Amino acid sequence: MGNNDSVALTEAVYYILLALYEPMHGYGIMQKIEELSSGRVKLAAGTLYGAINTMLDKDWIQALPETSSSRKKEYIITERGKQVAASELIRLQELVLNGEGIIGGE
């Protein structure tokens, strides 16, 4: 993994990566993120597709070959994307542990 992969992810990018552990098209990604965040995170189409294009360029996700049965382009996370998501999970866990240690958690 290159250094450019070990960056703090935006919440939107992290959720997109999580959503794409199964193949999904754009609208499905938006629905999945809203579901995962209990309605707290709602992505606008522009935000979503901007992030998708960036993640395609970084090889964190890939577009699946289009089929005649579906007009919608589907995406899936790559192995590199899974490494990035796992690194972010570790970073977030550290944030929580440190916060609990100082603020006090149950």
Side-chain angles (χ1 to χ4, degrees):
M1 243 181 17
N3 285 343
N4 65 339
D5 284 346
S6 57
V7 295
L9 303 182
T10 65
E11 192 172 30
V13 167
Y14 182 63
Y15 270 127
I16 293 167
L17 288 173
L18 292 181
L20 289 177
Y21 270 76
E22 55 187 281
M24 212 169 283
H25 54 74
Y27 183 66
I29 296 168
M30 290 192 288
Q31 289 181 307
K32 181 72 173 182
I33 290 171
E34 200 167 330
E35 176 193 318
L36 286 171
S37 68
S38 302
R40 188 178 58 78
V41 179
K42 293 180 174 75
L43 284 191
T47 303
L48 174 69
Y49 288 103
I52 283 175
N53 286 329
T54 299
M55 289 189 283
L56 286 167
D57 289 344
K58 292 181 176 183
D59 189 38
W60 293 359
I61 64 172
Q62 65 185 28
L64 293 172
E66 294 185 47
T67 62
S68 56
S69 62
S70 174
R71 309 186 329 271
K72 296 179 178 174
K73 186 173 279 191
E74 287 195 320
Y75 304 91
I76 188 125
I77 193 168
T78 61
E79 284 306 311
R80 187 172 191 175
K82 288 178 181 179
Q83 291 173 341
V84 170
S87 293
E88 180 67 359
L89 179 58
I90 291 166
R91 187 187 75 83
L92 293 170
Q93 287 170 329
E94 180 183 287
L95 287 174
V96 170
L97 283 173
N98 288 328
E100 286 176 343
I102 291 172
I103 297 168
E106 300 306 312

